[in-house]
């Protein structure tokens, strides 16, 4: 039996979300290692050195865990790809809806990152909006939560631009970059975007208004 909303390929303009594939090992490791300084302040502390945790051989375990979570309905893990001038999609980031709890909660936590070489182009707002709309539709979810370190201005800007609600402050919430870090909690429920035709439609309007 397949899990609600999985597998899926989602696309908007040059941004494409798809399940990870076994053959992503080298591309994944390259982008993760090229972004160590960019990602480490915002990610959970790795139990082993960064290069080791992000090597092509470590990808085997990342891939296996994500596939298991997706198949069991506990996660919606997407590789974020961007269409290049050569007409090919390149892996540039990640959006994951994890820790899905169904029944009376129907909620997930969203996590995301993008390669610093393509930051500032709206790739993650687009990718997150695609994933959230998919989760609210075929995925059968009702609520998406995002927790962000207060000093992570770029990520908080993503929340502001997409209109997530700031709901909470969590002291010493997650072990990130070597210590227990406070986080600001944001959330969105399906009712928040229903009248607007979804989160992607809202994001398109926000972008158009800012252009
Ligand atoms: C947070 C993050 C995912 C945003 O992705 P993105 O696709 O660049 O998102 P946007 O293009 O909407 O840019 C968001 C903000 O980043 C900032 N930004 C833009 N270009 C940037 C750059 N080259 N370097 C740093 N910050 C930049 C701007 O403040 C921008 O907001 P603005 O639209 O008001 O100018 C990305 O910065 C990232 O991967 N950061 C490291 C990992 C991380 O923080 N993950 C989230 C943990 S909660």
């Amino acid at each position: 039996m397949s899990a609600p909303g999985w597998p899926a390929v989602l696309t908007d303009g040059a941004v494409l979300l798809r399940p990870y594939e076994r053959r992503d090992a080298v591309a994944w490791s390259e982008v993760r290692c090229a972004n160590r300084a960019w990602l480490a302040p915002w990610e959970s502390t790795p139990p082993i050195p960064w290069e080791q945790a992000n090597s092509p051989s470590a990808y085997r375990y990342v891939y296996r865990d994500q596939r298991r979570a997706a198949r069991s309905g506990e996660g919606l893990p997407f590789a974020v790809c961007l269409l290049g001038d050569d007409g090919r999609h390149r892996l540039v980031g990640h959006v994951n809806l994890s820790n899905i709890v169904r029944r009376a909660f129907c909620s997930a936590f969203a996590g995301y990152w993008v390669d610093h070489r393509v930051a500032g182009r709206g790739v993650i707002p687009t990718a997150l909006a695609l994933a959230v709309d998919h989760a609210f539709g075929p995925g059968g979810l009702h609520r998406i939560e995002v927790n962000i370190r207060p000093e992570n201005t770029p990520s908080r800007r993503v929340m502001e631009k997409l209109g997530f609600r700031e709901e909470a402050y969590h002291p010493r919430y997650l072990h990130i970059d070597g210590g227990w870090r406070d986080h600001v909690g944001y959330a969105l429920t399906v009712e928040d975007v229903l009248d607007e035709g979804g989160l992607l439609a809202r994001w398109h309007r926000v972008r158009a208004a800012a252009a």
Side-chain angles (χ1 to χ4, degrees):
M1 206 180 76
S2 61
W6 194 259
V9 175
L10 313 171
T11 183
D12 182 62
V15 176
L16 179 135
L17 272 61
R18 61 160 171 80
Y20 283 90
E21 296 167 2
R22 213 182 289 272
R23 65 192 165 108
D24 287 327
V26 170
W28 177 85
S29 178
E30 187 282 324
V31 73
R32 294 281 309 167
C33 290
N35 282 278
R36 178 183 176 159
W38 170 250
L39 299 177
W42 318 117
E43 294 203 351
S44 46
T45 312
I48 51 175
W50 181 277
E51 305 299 331
Q52 213 177 318
N54 292 285
S55 66
S57 56
Y59 177 76
R60 197 173 346 138
Y61 303 104
V62 174
Y63 173 71
R64 189 192 58 193
D65 285 354
Q66 289 182 347
R67 200 165 68 140
R68 185 204 49 74
R71 286 181 165 181
S72 67
E74 292 162 44
L76 292 165
F78 289 105
V80 177
C81 304
L82 189 63
L83 188 63
D85 294 337
D86 58 359
R88 297 163 74 112
H89 281 102
R90 191 169 67 83
L91 197 159
V92 296
H94 173 73
V95 167
N96 190 17
L97 305 183
S98 66
N99 290 290
I100 293 175
V101 176
R102 296 189 184 270
R103 295 174 67 93
F105 198 32
C106 286
S107 190
F109 293 94
Y112 46 78
W113 57 263
V114 75
D115 188 338
H116 73 276
R117 294 167 287 197
V118 298
R121 297 194 205 169
V123 172
I124 289 299
T126 303
L128 185 61
L130 281 165
V132 168
D133 281 346
H134 183 72
F136 286 163
L141 298 186
H142 173 252
R143 178 175 177 273
I144 304 295
E145 178 172 339
V146 181
N147 290 291
I148 302 177
R149 291 182 67 176
E151 56 272 47
N152 192 344
T153 309
S155 189
R156 296 184 72 177
R157 277 294 297 149
V158 171
M159 292 294 98
E160 284 162 15
K161 291 191 290 184
L162 291 178
F164 274 65
R165 206 174 16 261
E166 188 177 321
E167 291 188 342
Y169 192 86
H170 309 291
R172 300 174 296 283
Y173 183 67
L174 283 174
H175 205 276
I176 301 279
D177 199 25
W180 291 103
R181 312 295 184 189
D182 295 359
H183 279 68
V184 180
Y186 293 84
L188 193 76
T189 67
V190 68
E191 294 84 354
D192 293 322
V193 290
L194 214 52
D195 291 347
E196 295 175 58
L199 189 56
L200 187 66
R202 175 192 280 182
W203 168 234
H204 283 166
R205 277 192 288 274
V206 167
R207 257 194 144 166

